[in-house]
Amino acid sequence: MFGTSIHWTTFFYLLIDTFIVLLTLYFSRKKTRSSLRRFLYLGILFIAYNATGGFLPIDNFPDPSILQYIITYGVAIALCVYIVYYLYKEYDIVVLRFNSSIRNLAILASVSFVVLFLIPYFLTDSLNSARFLFTIPISAVTFVFLFIFYRRISNPSNPNPFIVRRNKLSMVSVASIALLPICTVIGDYQWITFTVMNLAFFAITAIEADRYLYFIENNNRMYEVFALKKKQRDESVERKIIYEDLTRREIEVALSILSNSSYRNIAKDLFIAESTVSKHASNIFKKTGVKNRREFLKRFRKKK
C-alpha cells in the first residue's frame, strides 16, 4: 500500500488506533487531572507497533538490516510489557509474585531477546532460526501466564456484571499477548498478527468505555459524593467533594461500600487484597470529609 510493504489490514488498524487516541485526547483535555494518561500511552504504543511492524523491513533502511528487526521486536516487547503493567495498575489485577515487578518483567523480556534472538542470529545468520529459538520459549511462558491469569480472575459467582465483563475483556488482552509469539513464528502474515494484537487494544478500550457507562449508570447513587451542589458552597471546605478527587478505583470501591458490601466481599469482587480495600476506603473517607464507614453511609447512601 502506497509503495510500502504494509498490509491494508494493518493500515486500517493504524487508522482506528490513531482515531481512538485522538478521541481520548479530546475528552481528557477537559479534565484538570486526566485519568486517561496511561490509556493514551497504551494507544501511542499500539500506533508505534502498527507503524513499525507494518512498514518495516524496507530496502533503503540504513545497514545493518538487523536494526529493523530490533526496532520492530523492541516495540512489540515494550507493548506487551506495558499491557501487563496497564492491567496491574488500572485494575489491581496482580497475578505473578516472587519479584515479578513490571521492571523485572521488562528486564527478563529484554535479556531473553538478546540471548534467544540476537545471539543466535549472529551465530547462524538465519532469521528463521533466531525467530524460532526466541518465540517458542517465550510462547510457553506466556501461555503459563495466561493460565495463571485465568485462574486468578475467574469467578463465576461474582454478582457484579461490570466486573465480570471487565475480567473477560482482560482475558482477551492477555490471550493476545500469549498468541503473539505463535503468530510471529508462523510467518509474516500481517493480517493475522496485527488482528490478534489490536484485539488487545480494542478490548481495553471496551473496558474503559464500559467503566465510563458504569459510572454514569450509578451517577444517581454517587451524586452526593461527586457533585458540588449550590448549597454546599456555604459549607466548610472539608465537606466539599469534587469528582476528580477520587480515582477510578476509589469510585468503584465507594460504589461497593454504598451497596453495603463488606471489605472482604469487595476484595473478592475486585480481586485485590482486603488491606488494599481498607486503604482505598481510608482515602475515600478522607476526601469526602467523614471519619469512618458509618459516617460515609449515613451521609451518602440514598434513604429508602
Side-chain angles (χ1 to χ4, degrees), residues 192-260:
I192 297 178
T193 305
F194 286 83
T195 297
V196 168
M197 280 305 294
N198 279 276
L199 279 177
F201 185 49
F202 300 153
I204 293 177
T205 302
I207 291 174
E208 294 297 339
D210 189 43
R211 175 155 53 181
Y212 177 74
L213 295 175
Y214 175 69
F215 289 165
I216 292 179
E217 180 184 352
N218 289 275
N219 184 61
N220 291 335
R221 296 174 60 195
M222 294 293 288
Y223 182 77
E224 292 290 338
V225 182
F226 291 160
L228 267 176
K229 291 183 178 181
K230 184 177 180 181
K231 66 179 182 180
Q232 286 180 307
R233 296 175 184 174
D234 298 328
E235 297 179 357
S236 61
V237 175
E238 290 76 11
R239 298 186 63 183
K240 293 184 179 181
I241 296 302
I242 301 176
Y243 177 83
E244 284 79 5
D245 282 343
L246 294 180
T247 67
R248 289 182 291 176
R249 176 56 90 187
E250 289 170 353
I251 296 171
E252 294 174 7
V253 172
L255 286 171
S256 298
I257 294 175
L258 290 175
S259 298
N260 210 28

Side-chain angles (χ1 to χ4, degrees), residues 153-164:
I153 71 171
S154 59
N155 183 16
S157 62
N158 193 326
N160 191 331
F162 166 69
I163 301 298
V164 172

Side-chain angles (χ1 to χ4, degrees), residues 145-155 171 271:
F145 176 79
L146 177 63
F147 175 75
I148 297 174
F149 187 85
Y150 174 77
R151 291 288 300 273
R152 176 70 178 86
I153 71 171
S154 59
N155 183 16
M171 276 297 301
F271 301 99

